Amino acid sequence: MTPASALPFIKMHGLGNDFVVLDARGRTTPLDTAAVRLLGDRRRGIGFDQLITMEKSDRADAFMRIHNADGGEVESCGNAARCIASLLMQETGRDAVTIDTLGGWLQARHGARGMVTVDMGEPRFGWRDIPLARELDTVTMDYAFAGYAQPGAVNVGNPHVVFFVADAEAVPLAEIGPQIEHDPLFPQRINAEFAQVIDRTRIRMRVWERGAGITRACGTGACATLVAAARRGLADRRAEIVLDGGTLTIEWAADNHIYMTGPATEAFRGEIPPSFWTQSTAA
């Protein structure tokens, strides 16, 4: 269905992990796979890592629906959660809001120095929770790829595998990232992080995101990295995760919840013309 009028959008990012945000709480948006892919194309559309659609929710301030640039729908996105929380706090005038997602119910609040803190919930570690295709110890997995071995696995609303390496910058991420994502061990595909522990409170991490490729930041990936490192005794339960786009503070607190703190930035606003949806149908 083609909208009768232009569709407003907001372009936002969290440390360079960028989003197009659509507000569908009062209107219908025709989001088939072709439309998402065309909208995400950085030459023919607006361009994004993820498309975020705000919808009405009976149990939260909004439901956050997430599509990757390849058109696939996913469960969670930490950087997007901060952006949506920022919009909702501006809209409501409150200092705290709630967001529902396929990956779980989230709480967010204003943090220090204009940051946003999101309670990302409790991590899951069972091999079926990741999920994996077979039973493995998720603290130190009996798995190797291209010489990178014994990662940890964590589900933080979406699945992650975290490799600990001596030099994160040296990892050929563009080459091996897509192969790990589609490895048969991961039946729902996987987000892959390569983490270099600098000290117990600082970790350098690079990420290949499922359905999006290399991104400048991944909030859930930062959460998974901190938790995987803490489980192995490599880091404290609170640390700075240094990403390509900047730094997030992650805390795996005593209540077993993961708290992520970082910025949420609005870049610009615009409108998608009705003719776009006709183009997406023909693409």
Side-chain angles (χ1 to χ4, degrees):
M1 180 176 64
T2 301
S5 59
L7 189 63
F9 72 87
I10 307 172
K11 185 69 183 288
M12 303 189 75
H13 71 89
L15 297 178
N17 181 197
D18 65 331
F19 317 104
V20 164
V21 180
L22 303 178
D23 189 348
R25 291 174 294 175
R27 65 183 300 167
T28 301
T29 58
L31 295 176
D32 60 17
T33 300
V36 173
R37 287 177 175 170
L38 184 57
L39 195 62
D41 189 299
R42 296 187 186 276
R43 294 179 181 234
R44 300 184 300 155
I46 301 171
F48 54 74
D49 292 322
Q50 282 84 27
L51 175 70
I52 308 300
T53 308
M54 290 195 295
E55 301 176 3
K56 291 181 179 178
S57 172
D58 293 332
R59 66 172 191 160
D61 289 296
F63 180 88
M64 182 176 75
R65 192 171 300 280
I66 310 156
H67 288 85
N68 281 333
D70 69 353
E73 187 172 0
V74 294
E75 309 90 340
S76 297
C77 180
N79 287 322
R82 295 198 315 278
C83 289
I84 296 303
S86 178
L87 290 175
L88 290 171
M89 286 187 283
Q90 292 174 41
E91 180 181 286
T92 62
R94 303 201 311 263
D95 290 331
V97 293
T98 56
I99 302 169
D100 199 7
T101 73
L102 292 179
W105 189 79
L106 307 174
Q107 293 179 295
R109 65 179 188 274
H110 274 304
R113 302 182 304 279
M115 300 290 179
V116 176
T117 296
V118 180
D119 177 353
M120 297 294 291
E122 299 184 54
R124 292 180 291 160
F125 306 117
W127 68 275
R128 290 187 178 89
D129 294 324
I130 303 302
L132 305 177
R134 64 181 185 274
E135 184 174 2
L136 289 174
D137 177 3
T138 61
V139 177
T140 305
M141 292 170 58
D142 183 15
Y143 171 78
F145 193 93
Y148 299 97
Q150 297 186 320
V154 187
N155 188 305
V156 289
N158 57 1
H160 293 265
V161 61
V162 183
F163 295 84
F164 293 97
V165 298
D167 184 358
E169 309 298 338
V171 175
L173 194 54
E175 176 185 343
I176 67 175
Q179 298 176 64
I180 295 172
E181 175 187 347
H182 293 279
D183 190 296
L185 180 61
F186 310 112
Q188 294 182 15
R189 299 186 294 159
I190 201 79
N191 298 283
E193 285 80 35
F194 291 84
Q196 174 186 345
V197 178
I198 299 169
D199 58 43
R200 295 193 63 84
T201 62
R202 193 168 177 85
I203 301 171
R204 170 71 173 110
M205 185 269 277
R206 297 176 64 214
V207 59
W208 176 274
E209 286 200 55
R210 175 184 59 166
I214 296 174
T215 59
R216 292 185 57 77
C218 177
T220 55
C223 293
T225 294
L226 182 279
V227 169
R231 290 182 85 200
R232 298 259 279 260
L234 301 175
D236 295 342
R237 290 174 68 109
R238 179 184 173 91
E240 291 185 338
I241 310 300
V242 182
L243 310 164
D244 288 350
T247 300
L248 292 174
T249 300
I250 309 297
E251 180 180 7
W252 185 18
D255 63 2
N256 199 37
H257 284 231
I258 307 168
Y259 295 89
M260 172 191 61
T261 301
T265 304
E266 180 176 322
F268 59 89
R269 298 189 180 214
E271 292 184 333
I272 304 167
S275 59
F276 174 85
W277 306 104
T278 304
Q279 296 172 36
S280 69
T281 302

